[in-house]
Amino acid sequence: MNAKRYLRLLGVQLKASGLLALQYRADFLAEGLTSLAWTFTALAPLFVVFNARPSIEGWTFQESLLVVGWFTLLQGVLEGAISPSLTGMVEHIRKGTLDFVLLKPADAQFLVSTQRFLPWRAVNVLSGVGLFVYAFVSLGRWPSLPGVFASLVLLGTSMLILYSMWILVVSAAFFVVKVDNLTYLFTSIFDAARWPSSVFRGSLAWVFTFIIPLALMTTFPALALLGRLPWTWLVGAVVGSVAFAAMARWVWLMSIRHYTSASS
Amino acid sequence: MSLRTALKALPTMLRIGFSEAVAYRAEMIIWVLATTMPLIMLALWSAVARGGPVGRFGQAEFTGYFLAAFCVRQMTSSWVAWLVSYEVKQGTLAMRLLRPISPLLAYATEVLAGIPLRVAIVLPVLGISLWVAGAERAVPTSLGGWGLFALGIVGAWLITFYLNVLLGTLSLFLESSQKLMEVYMVLFFVCSGYMFPVEFFPPGVRTVMEWLPFRYQMGLPVELMTGAHATKEAWELLAAQWTWVLGLGVVSMAVWRRGLARFAAFGG
């Protein structure tokens, strides 16, 4: 009953964003071009690096392309589905209109995180898939069925983690009002997910695996596609991401409680 | 606006700018943390260098290079493009235009006033670089080298500032220059030496890079800081850089004037 109501709500919000996107069809071209440009940025150092070496830390060029592919795909998800509505949330806090959201008879976190989507960003997902196809064609083989299945599970967990990290960033907006920079900070940290996580050593490796689980978001799915991901890691990823999401939810509820409305 | 008014107002404007920078120091820290790309690139290239040096770059050279890149980015960063396009959209540019000081000068002092705070962040990084990479790979070792580096970093600051003015002003011609700024960022990241030294480009591409302004925003000051060039070569590159400074200065001022003629804020 309740789930049905939320699904319907989600449908309404999606439809509204879809209609809005259809108004600006020229954006499709612009999205496509910028997505290609960003993919190129992600690839440029890769070309340069692998020009110097055939393989880095056990990753060949084609295998690293898979990581970049996952990065591009997730970037599309992030910029198309997660960040627009949460940027709107920051606006709410600054203008004091969050009060209206909190008064509505639905969960506030659900409402703020579904208020806006940018469907054209799906172009990024397409370029990600394009990279997978290219990488596997040049590897001369295809991923196994369990591998594809595992990577899809991991796609789910990475999206959950990305979303939770965003919730954490936005919760910070209650304390630091100028948060447009925080979103920028987040994107630049996410940048590190472009490269196979084995590149990072020492404390950086520890941070990127446990504190900001970047390894889990792009390197694990790439390993799964290659059929090199141990099952225990997959289970760990699922458990870890659920725990992470629960933590984010708890922080969100705390921040809402801390929030004093604009008028008080 | 006469030059005298501007000069008289300058110290006050810098003081205000500095106070603002201190007031919003948390924001500044976030910006600094957001420019950690050189550190990530350092990790990547260190992994590459573990298997042996790349060109003239071993582990220590990469450390010196990317920490220098971090410092140069801190000293030369400019957000004027976003500021101008935001103020155009909001119409608040009208208020700036009412003041007897050119808005461009106001933007410039706002950026400059943040530098003391940024130096405070740069110094420890420089210290680490000196300690890990060694003095000759982290900073210029002679007085002349410091002079060249100073010229290079001022030139880099000016190119970045003018490019920002140009991009921001374009929002007066196009409804929004946001997408253009994204493209600029992409070009800057790839072509400037921010993600990898420019000399890693294949020779043909490298010639193109020498002609583009981006290399002079980042690569050149970093190379001068890490002592990559002999004096003669350094002077040649600096000449190219300052040609860009002059050219961009003239073009961006002209575009700014023409853009202002088009600017019409409601109620402004």
Side-chain angles (χ1 to χ4, degrees), chain A residues 38 53 57 181 184 188 201, chain B residues 27 31 34 48 50 52 182:
Chain A
W38 278 117
R53 295 270 178 290
E57 302 290 327
N181 303 335
Y184 188 78
S188 57
R201 285 274 171 98
Chain B
E27 196 194 349
W31 275 120
V48 178
R50 274 198 284 272
E182 264 188 52

Side-chain angles (χ1 to χ4, degrees), chain A residues 168-195:
Chain A
L168 288 178
V169 168
V170 168
S171 300
F174 288 104
F175 305 91
V176 203
V177 180
K178 277 204 94 166
V179 85
D180 20 346
N181 303 335
L182 278 181
T183 63
Y184 188 78
L185 170 66
F186 177 82
T187 2
S188 57
I189 292 172
F190 181 58
D191 262 343
R194 274 181 206 191
W195 291 285

Side-chain angles (χ1 to χ4, degrees), chain B residues 215-237:
Chain B
R215 178 205 193 306
Y216 303 104
Q217 289 180 272
M218 174 61 61
L220 179 62
V222 169
E223 286 153 20
L224 290 173
M225 194 165 160
T226 52
H229 298 296
T231 314
K232 184 172 167 286
E233 213 183 336
W235 275 113
E236 279 166 16
L237 284 165

Side-chain angles (χ1 to χ4, degrees), chain A residues 9-38:
Chain A
L9 257 176
L10 181 65
V12 171
Q13 309 262 51
L14 270 173
K15 201 176 146 200
S17 304
L19 287 175
L20 206 65
L22 283 176
Q23 269 190 313
Y24 303 99
R25 254 160 291 191
D27 275 9
F28 178 64
L29 195 69
E31 289 307 336
L33 287 177
T34 36
S35 155
L36 278 180
W38 278 117

Side-chain angles (χ1 to χ4, degrees), chain A residues 27 30-31 34 37-38 40-42 44-45 48-49 51-53 56-57 94 121 176 178 180-182 184-185 188-189 191-192 194-196 198-201 204 208, chain B residues 24 26-28 30-31 33-37 39-41 43-45 47-54 73 86 179 182-183 185-186 189-190 195-197 200-202:
Chain A
D27 275 9
E31 289 307 336
T34 36
W38 278 117
F40 173 70
T41 344
V48 177
V49 165
N51 207 9
R53 295 270 178 290
I56 313 288
E57 302 290 327
R94 199 158 48 191
R121 289 278 158 149
V176 203
K178 277 204 94 166
D180 20 346
N181 303 335
L182 278 181
Y184 188 78
L185 170 66
S188 57
I189 292 172
D191 262 343
R194 274 181 206 191
W195 291 285
S198 51
V199 159
F200 301 109
R201 285 274 171 98
L204 219 49
F208 286 153
Chain B
Y24 294 116
E27 196 194 349
M28 177 83 82
I30 288 169
W31 275 120
L33 287 177
T35 48
T36 44
M37 175 85 94
L39 306 182
I40 290 165
M41 292 314 295
L44 178 71
W45 284 105
V48 178
R50 274 198 284 272
V54 189
R73 180 89 201 271
Y86 179 81
K179 280 276 175 285
E182 264 188 52
V183 174
M185 285 314 277
V186 170
F189 279 163
V190 178
M195 299 176 98
F196 45 88
F200 287 3
F201 277 117

Side-chain angles (χ1 to χ4, degrees), chain A:
Chain A
M1 172 61 204
N2 218 0
K4 215 168 129 193
R5 181 162 152 260
Y6 276 102
L7 269 179
R8 222 180 66 218
L9 257 176
L10 181 65
V12 171
Q13 309 262 51
L14 270 173
K15 201 176 146 200
S17 304
L19 287 175
L20 206 65
L22 283 176
Q23 269 190 313
Y24 303 99
R25 254 160 291 191
D27 275 9
F28 178 64
L29 195 69
E31 289 307 336
L33 287 177
T34 36
S35 155
L36 278 180
W38 278 117
T39 312
F40 173 70
T41 344
L43 289 179
L46 218 61
F47 281 123
V48 177
V49 165
F50 285 97
N51 207 9
R53 295 270 178 290
S55 83
I56 313 288
E57 302 290 327
W59 289 79
T60 66
F61 176 66
Q62 286 87 357
E63 289 162 1
S64 311
L65 271 187
L66 292 177
V67 178
V68 178
W70 280 106
F71 175 79
T72 314
L73 199 152
L74 280 177
Q75 207 178 28
V77 172
L78 178 69
E79 288 173 358
I82 301 177
S83 71
S85 40
L86 293 181
T87 314
M89 160 87 185
V90 173
E91 274 299 284
H92 276 316
I93 296 179
R94 199 158 48 191
K95 289 188 186 154
T97 45
L98 187 66
D99 301 26
F100 301 131
V101 178
L102 293 177
L103 284 173
K104 282 182 187 163
D107 183 65
Q109 186 182 345
F110 176 83
L111 282 178
V112 296
S113 38
T114 56
Q115 61 178 325
R116 192 148 153 57
F117 295 91
L118 298 177
W120 293 138
R121 289 278 158 149
V123 175
N124 252 20
V125 177
L126 291 182
S127 17
V129 173
L131 279 177
F132 294 150
V133 172
Y134 176 77
F136 274 107
V137 166
S138 48
L139 277 174
R141 66 187 176 91
W142 292 101
S144 66
L145 210 58
V148 173
F149 174 73
S151 68
L152 285 177
V153 171
L154 284 168
L155 175 64
T157 59
S158 349
M159 274 159 66
L160 191 62
I161 291 176
L162 264 183
Y163 172 69
S164 310
M165 281 169 75
W166 258 107
I167 287 290
L168 288 178
V169 168
V170 168
S171 300
F174 288 104
F175 305 91
V176 203
V177 180
K178 277 204 94 166
V179 85
D180 20 346
N181 303 335
L182 278 181
T183 63
Y184 188 78
L185 170 66
F186 177 82
T187 2
S188 57
I189 292 172
F190 181 58
D191 262 343
R194 274 181 206 191
W195 291 285
S197 59
S198 51
V199 159
F200 301 109
R201 285 274 171 98
S203 51
L204 219 49
W206 194 78
V207 167
F208 286 153
T209 316
F210 295 107
I211 313 253
I212 314 168
L214 293 178
L216 205 151
M217 288 193 269
T218 55
T219 308
F220 280 24
L223 282 174
L225 280 180
L226 290 167
R228 278 202 233 143
L229 188 82
W231 282 102
T232 43
W233 288 23
L234 184 65
V235 174
V238 172
V239 173
S241 64
V242 170
F244 198 73
M247 195 258 294
R249 171 76 182 169
W250 178 75
V251 171
W252 162 265
L253 289 175
M254 289 286 289
S255 319
I256 283 285
R257 210 167 303 145
H258 173 91
Y259 174 73
T260 47
S261 74
S263 51
S264 55

Side-chain angles (χ1 to χ4, degrees), chain B residues 19-102:
Chain B
S19 312
E20 260 179 38
V22 174
Y24 294 116
R25 54 192 178 273
E27 196 194 349
M28 177 83 82
I29 301 283
I30 288 169
W31 275 120
V32 170
L33 287 177
T35 48
T36 44
M37 175 85 94
L39 306 182
I40 290 165
M41 292 314 295
L42 174 58
L44 178 71
W45 284 105
S46 296
V48 178
R50 274 198 284 272
V54 189
R56 65 178 177 89
F57 285 88
Q59 295 255 21
E61 279 79 11
F62 275 125
T63 308
Y65 185 92
F66 284 110
L67 292 186
F70 176 83
C71 297
V72 169
R73 180 89 201 271
Q74 291 313 317
M75 306 304 289
T76 58
S77 77
S78 203
W79 51 95
V80 174
W82 281 263
L83 217 56
V84 174
S85 95
Y86 179 81
E87 293 199 352
V88 166
K89 213 175 351 180
Q90 301 279 317
T92 45
L93 183 63
M95 255 127 45
R96 289 226 191 226
L97 287 168
L98 283 176
R99 293 183 194 157
I101 297 272
S102 159

